[in-house]
Amino acid sequence: MKLLLTAAVIALFAPGLTAAAGEKPDAGPRRTISLDGTWAFQREGDKEWKTVQVPSSFQDHEGMEFHGVGIYRKMIPQFGVMPGRRVLLHFQAAATQAEVSWNGRKLGSHLGGWTPFRFDVTDQILGQA
């Protein structure tokens, strides 16, 4: 099974997806923005998007018989990045294979069974990528 994630929205298949502002050890507390909540979901090849809650699994909203590719997306309100700090998009878990994009540009992929992974999205937020 392959899970396709898109963003530009940003998308996921993960309990507890967060965008976190990372910083230097002496730069003060880390700010975390939870992306849990309402997301759009589409089965690959379908035209319709439906609303789902994250964290969740395919089986929560597609049933036990679904074994295809699903696309999750979410709009993230703009926020600033303080100089010298990094922004990490952190996924708590994703099953099998995940491809992650930000505004239509591929960030990378992950292969693993329910393991965490993250991408640095600082340049995307600052408009440099």
Side-chain angles (χ1 to χ4, degrees), residues 31-50:
R31 189 178 100 180
T32 300
I33 303 167
S34 174
L35 299 179
D36 290 356
T38 303
W39 285 72
F41 176 84
Q42 180 186 65
R43 288 183 179 204
E44 185 176 56
D46 285 358
K47 294 182 187 223
E48 299 295 320
W49 289 90
K50 70 182 193 179

Side-chain angles (χ1 to χ4, degrees), residues 3 7 11 13 31 34 50-53 63 66 71-72 88 94 101-102 110-112 114 120 123 128-129:
L3 169 68
F13 174 73
R31 189 178 100 180
S34 174
K50 70 182 193 179
T51 301
V52 299
Q53 293 298 306
F66 180 68
I71 303 166
Y72 289 81
L88 304 176
S101 299
W102 186 280
H110 170 78
L111 180 61
W114 298 105
D120 187 325
D123 290 344
Q128 299 172 0

Side-chain angles (χ1 to χ4, degrees), residues 82-95:
M82 294 189 62
R85 296 195 179 200
R86 307 302 297 172
V87 179
L88 304 176
L89 176 62
H90 177 80
F91 293 81
Q92 287 294 94

